[in-house]
Amino acid sequence: MVIVKKTFLLEDLDCAHCAAKIEDAVSKIDGVEKATVNFLKSNITVEAPEEAFSAIMKKAAKAVSKIEPDCTIKGV
């Protein structure tokens, strides 16, 4: 299994508390090895298996919009 690490811009991320909730929610998605949100840079870094990465990021996008409706993951 090949683990890939990719970083995406979180557009319209407004608060640090929401960033922490997003990091926690994405970390709990099945298959995610590690998820880190950097509030100051407005980005999220996700480490997950290459073969499942696309499906995981779709779930991550849904989790982000549920926590902060105006926030989107660019490039997903």
Side-chain angles (χ1 to χ4, degrees):
M1 173 177 10
V2 176
I3 302 296
V4 293
K5 179 179 180 180
K6 295 184 182 180
T7 301
F8 301 90
L9 179 67
L10 285 169
E11 195 168 67
D12 297 325
L13 179 62
D14 291 333
C15 78
H17 183 253
C18 292
K21 287 169 46 176
I22 289 168
E23 181 175 287
D24 185 55
V26 174
S27 293
K28 291 179 180 173
I29 295 171
D30 278 345
V32 173
E33 295 282 322
K34 185 176 181 181
T36 309
V37 174
N38 184 322
F39 176 66
L40 295 177
K41 292 184 178 180
S42 293
N43 67 25
I44 184 168
T45 301
V46 179
E47 295 179 39
E50 186 173 33
E51 63 274 4
F53 206 88
S54 180
I56 286 170
M57 290 312 297
K58 286 179 183 174
K59 290 178 184 176
K62 286 182 183 179
V64 167
S65 68
K66 193 179 261 189
I67 293 166
E68 190 162 357
D70 292 335
C71 184
T72 56
I73 302 175
K74 293 300 276 184
V76 173

